[in-house]
């Protein structure tokens, strides 16, 4: 058991899997784009390059397979500045491990999830090159190692290029099919004096959760769609 939803001084180490009720390894692409998404690698071991810098801040996010001696994760005690791992401690999605949880946000807008990172690899990375298409980073496999966005020699450029790609591909192209179109709403926002805070909140929803009016269907285990239908279009 845990009180992860109420204890702000207890930071679940399984937050590598997702925060705010989300599970990044289940951020699937739509059916027609499924070939682009990353396959979840449950044996992958990674550690984030950066982390928060406030006093007693949690360590960098990390992922790795369960093992006999480390089958669960605990929490980081922000008050004491140390890890507590006597018992399993759930994140807001209910995870108490970090197996297959290497798809946290990276880059200027924190590109995350198997769909978003898979699309980056499909269009800008090694997948494009291996299929004979032009690639900005032909030797970079962002599925095999998402942390390349932060560690590769080109990372200073990559953090912005991958983010601009995601913004144009996912945010600017957003249309819910029921009348909410990002580009039309953007035009209205500009025409009416840049004071529509609902538009700004909607844009934040598209960016962080995949829809303009969160909670989005499938974005967490409590929402419609259940455990694992968190599509990002």
């Amino acid at each position: 058991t845990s009180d992860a939803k109420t204890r702000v001084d207890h930071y679940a180490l399984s937050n590598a899997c997702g925060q705010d009720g989300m599970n990044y390894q289940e951020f699937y692409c739509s059916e027609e784009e499924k070939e682009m998404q990353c396959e979840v690698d449950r044996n992958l071991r990674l550690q984030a390059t950066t982390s928060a810098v406030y006093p007693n801040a949690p360590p960098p996010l990390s992922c790795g397979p369960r093992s006999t001696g480390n089958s669960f994760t605990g929490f980081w005690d922000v008050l004491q500045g140390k890890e507590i791992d006597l018992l399993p401690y759930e994140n807001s999605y209910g995870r108490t491990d970090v197996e297959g949880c290497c798809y946290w946000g990276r880059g200027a807008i924190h590109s995350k999830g198997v769909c978003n990172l898979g699309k980056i690899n499909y269009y800008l990375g090694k997948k494009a090159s291996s299929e004979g298409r032009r690639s900005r980073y032909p030797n970079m496999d962002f599925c095999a190692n998402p942390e390349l966005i932060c560690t590769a020699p080109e990372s200073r450029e990559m953090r912005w290029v991958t983010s601009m790609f995601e913004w144009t591909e996912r945010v600017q192209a957003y249309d819910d099919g029921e009348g909410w179109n990002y580009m039309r709403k953007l035009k209205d926002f500009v025409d009416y004096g840049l004071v529509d805070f609902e538009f700004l909140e909607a844009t934040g929803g598209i960016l962080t959760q995949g829809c303009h009016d969160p909670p989005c269907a499938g974005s967490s285990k409590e929402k419609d769609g259940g455990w694992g239908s968190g599509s990002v279009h």
Side-chain angles (χ1 to χ4, degrees), residues 142-203:
F142 297 107
C143 287
N145 184 4
E147 195 63 19
L148 285 170
I149 294 173
C150 301
T151 61
E154 305 93 330
S155 65
R156 291 185 66 181
E157 172 194 278
M158 208 177 280
R159 296 170 198 175
W160 290 98
V161 171
T162 55
S163 295
M164 287 189 288
F165 165 80
E166 183 181 350
W167 182 270
T168 56
E169 192 274 337
R170 193 166 64 81
V171 179
Q172 287 186 189
Y174 178 84
D175 189 316
D176 73 344
E178 298 180 358
W180 207 103
N181 176 277
Y182 175 82
M183 294 305 293
R184 287 200 298 268
K185 293 290 185 179
L186 175 61
K187 184 178 184 302
D188 291 342
F189 178 69
V190 174
D191 289 347
Y192 291 101
L194 310 176
V195 292
D196 184 356
F197 291 104
E198 289 186 4
F199 170 75
L200 300 178
E201 292 177 358
T203 301

Side-chain angles (χ1 to χ4, degrees), residues 11 47-54 57-61 147:
Y11 180 90
Q47 184 177 67
T49 306
T50 59
S51 62
V53 294
Y54 57 84
L61 298 174
E147 195 63 19

Side-chain angles (χ1 to χ4, degrees), residues 5-125:
K5 294 182 179 179
T6 59
R7 292 297 299 270
V8 296
D9 54 333
H10 287 183
Y11 180 90
L13 295 179
S14 54
N15 278 346
C17 301
Q19 302 183 55
D20 299 320
M22 295 181 283
N23 196 33
Y24 304 148
Q25 73 185 81
E26 296 178 345
F27 272 24
Y28 303 133
C29 291
S30 59
E31 191 62 34
E32 59 269 23
E33 297 178 327
K34 196 171 183 179
E35 64 172 312
M36 301 180 190
Q37 73 187 30
C38 298
E39 292 294 327
V40 174
D41 185 350
R42 298 187 180 278
N43 293 312
L44 186 59
R45 293 180 181 272
L46 290 175
Q47 184 177 67
T49 306
T50 59
S51 62
V53 294
Y54 57 84
N56 292 343
L61 298 174
S62 63
C63 62
R66 294 188 181 103
S67 63
T68 303
N70 188 25
S71 61
F72 63 84
T73 52
F75 64 90
W76 182 263
D77 190 317
V78 176
L79 297 180
Q80 300 184 61
K82 67 178 183 178
E83 179 179 347
I84 308 295
D85 60 359
L86 299 177
L87 294 170
Y89 191 86
E90 297 179 351
N91 70 355
S92 56
Y93 191 81
R95 293 292 298 263
T96 58
D97 68 289
V98 289
E99 184 173 283
C101 293
C102 304
Y103 308 98
W104 58 77
R106 298 167 172 91
I109 61 171
H110 290 187
S111 298
K112 57 185 174 288
V114 294
C115 181
N116 295 331
L117 291 168
K119 285 184 176 182
I120 288 171
N121 195 50
Y122 184 88
Y123 287 109
L124 301 178

